[in-house]
Amino acid sequence: MGRGKRGLIASAVTVVCAVTLLALPAPAFAAPIPEPSPTRAPTTDPDLTPPPAPDKDLEAIRKKLDTLYHDAAVATDAYNAAEEQADKQSKEIVALAKKIVDGREKLDGMKDRAGAAARSQYRTGGLPDEAQLVLSDDPGEFLDGAGRVIQGQRATKGLIGEMTRTQQDLEQYAKDASAQWQKLEANRKAKATAQKTIEKRIAAAEKLESQLEKEEKERLAQLQQQAAQKAQTAWLDTGILDEITTKGSAQGRQAVKYATAQMGKPYEWGAEGPDSYDCSGLTSQAWADAGVAIPRTSQEQWRQLRRVDIKDMRPGDLIIYFDDASHVAMYVGDGAMVHAPRPGRPITMAGAGSMPILGVVRPDA
């Protein structure tokens, strides 16, 4: 951060600290998730190793993992939203600080002008221009002086009015800075709360997975693939692909090109690239590469972007998943999408109908 920006922020802090800030209540954290019991006691004797857990137990674990990672995704959206707002408020505070500095310099300049006028009056014997004009015996000087008096009165009145307005502006800037500072602190707390939730859910999921044997993990992966394939098949069986024929726009194709080029890179919550991404970080950066700025989070992408029917979906459109809009992917065509799935899984291509679709939005509307 440069010296100028630090100075502006320091000015904002000085102004804001002069205003009494309201105390913000501490956020309540979600209750800890019960830790699952191990599926078996450890043993070193191969002959005593029990058989893999039955599919019904692994199916319950699959659903539990889906719930944990879904909760983490919801919290990630909350974290990203709070971070975006905090960045916005920081910039507004810096802008207000600059206005405060400029206003103070302007006010000081007007005070100097008022002081110069007072000193000039002192040098003329303490008599105002009007009194000196009355005492003049020269008609020409009298007429010239009358004009100067009128101009001087107008200038003085204008100076006083300008000083008053500038002072009022400074007071408003201080109030605005104080309000933005309180919002900034609230969003910082919201970020911290969301981060704890994310970390807690991911840790619980990773612990649950770590308690499985190698064979169980392999079978669990099969069950997860089967569940996704079943959902995709049901979606395709509706005949939806017969209706989806629209080709992508030039910007949509560029966004798809960017997104697919990231395949294989890791998922990381809160990340926007270039080395890792979360789901909305991938879609927002892909469209930024295509020259279109879109909201950072999947929920805001769903709320702000233009919605289109699934049958009108084209490459580059964003598919929003789950009732709470907690996941987003990019449609690439032929019933497929590219997305950043969840922690532990890289950016990949999957069936567009492999998860419950809430709707579709188009960034280049």
Side-chain angles (χ1 to χ4, degrees), residues 272-289:
E272 301 177 74
D275 299 322
S276 58
Y277 300 82
D278 61 21
C279 67
S280 57
L282 176 64
T283 55
S284 60
Q285 289 303 306
W287 272 101
D289 186 72

Side-chain angles (χ1 to χ4, degrees), residues 17-337:
C17 289
V19 181
T20 302
L21 297 178
L22 300 175
L24 297 173
F29 300 116
I33 295 178
E35 296 178 357
S37 302
T39 57
R40 63 171 56 83
T43 178
T44 56
D45 189 343
D47 296 332
L48 298 179
T49 302
D55 280 359
K56 64 178 181 180
D57 293 341
L58 288 175
E59 179 64 16
I61 290 174
R62 182 188 71 81
K63 291 181 178 179
K64 179 65 173 177
L65 288 172
D66 285 348
T67 298
L68 289 169
Y69 283 122
H70 174 267
D71 290 347
V74 173
T76 297
D77 234 31
Y79 177 92
N80 291 336
E83 182 176 52
E84 189 175 39
Q85 287 300 312
D87 289 344
K88 178 182 178 182
Q89 283 141 12
S90 295
K91 291 176 182 177
E92 289 178 355
I93 288 173
V94 170
L96 286 168
K98 185 177 186 304
K99 289 182 178 180
I100 290 171
V101 171
D102 291 345
R104 284 178 172 170
E105 291 178 351
K106 181 179 179 181
L107 190 60
D108 289 342
M110 287 186 288
K111 288 180 178 179
D112 288 343
R113 286 163 56 191
R119 289 191 295 273
S120 175
Q121 183 176 341
Y122 175 78
R123 286 194 297 271
T124 58
L127 293 175
D129 291 338
E130 294 89 336
Q132 295 185 48
L133 180 59
V134 170
L135 296 176
S136 175
D137 294 328
D138 187 333
E141 183 180 342
F142 181 91
L143 292 175
D144 292 341
R148 289 197 301 271
V149 168
I150 293 173
Q151 292 175 355
Q153 288 174 338
R154 289 175 178 172
T156 300
K157 184 178 180 180
L159 180 61
I160 293 173
E162 191 174 2
M163 290 176 67
T164 301
R165 289 191 297 272
T166 301
Q167 185 64 45
Q168 291 172 343
D169 288 344
L170 287 172
E171 292 173 359
Q172 186 60 50
Y173 295 154
K175 291 179 181 178
D176 292 345
S178 175
Q180 291 300 328
W181 193 267
Q182 291 184 51
K183 291 179 182 178
L184 178 62
E185 288 302 302
N187 278 305
R188 283 174 175 169
K189 290 185 178 182
K191 280 179 59 178
T193 300
Q195 180 173 348
K196 288 183 179 180
T197 301
I198 296 167
E199 293 171 346
K200 186 182 295 184
R201 298 299 188 270
I202 293 176
E206 290 175 344
K207 184 173 183 179
L208 181 57
E209 290 179 295
S210 71
Q211 293 171 345
L212 299 176
E213 298 293 341
K214 179 181 178 182
E215 295 81 3
E216 292 174 324
K217 291 180 179 178
E218 292 174 351
R219 181 56 185 154
L220 177 63
Q222 292 176 356
L223 291 175
Q224 291 168 335
Q225 291 174 357
Q226 289 172 3
Q229 185 60 44
K230 181 179 179 180
Q232 174 73 356
T233 299
W235 184 66
L236 293 176
D237 285 347
T238 64
I240 189 68
L241 280 189
D242 296 335
E243 299 184 56
I244 301 176
T245 58
T246 307
K247 294 183 179 180
S249 64
Q251 288 176 311
R253 291 194 296 271
Q254 179 60 35
V256 168
K257 180 180 178 181
Y258 180 96
T260 53
Q262 311 312 308
M263 290 174 59
K265 293 183 179 181
Y267 175 100
E268 181 182 359
W269 64 267
E272 301 177 74
D275 299 322
S276 58
Y277 300 82
D278 61 21
C279 67
S280 57
L282 176 64
T283 55
S284 60
Q285 289 303 306
W287 272 101
D289 186 72
V292 180
I294 65 174
R296 169 65 177 88
T297 69
S298 59
Q299 292 176 343
E300 286 302 301
Q301 288 170 4
W302 172 244
R303 190 177 72 85
Q304 296 186 34
L305 300 180
R306 184 168 74 89
R307 299 177 187 181
V308 297
D309 290 338
I310 293 179
K311 63 182 179 62
D312 296 324
M313 184 165 58
R314 68 190 190 190
D317 286 349
L318 305 183
I319 307 175
I320 309 297
Y321 293 97
F322 304 108
D323 290 342
D324 53 9
S326 57
H327 190 69
V328 60
M330 180 177 292
Y331 185 64
V332 297
D334 297 325
M337 55 83 165

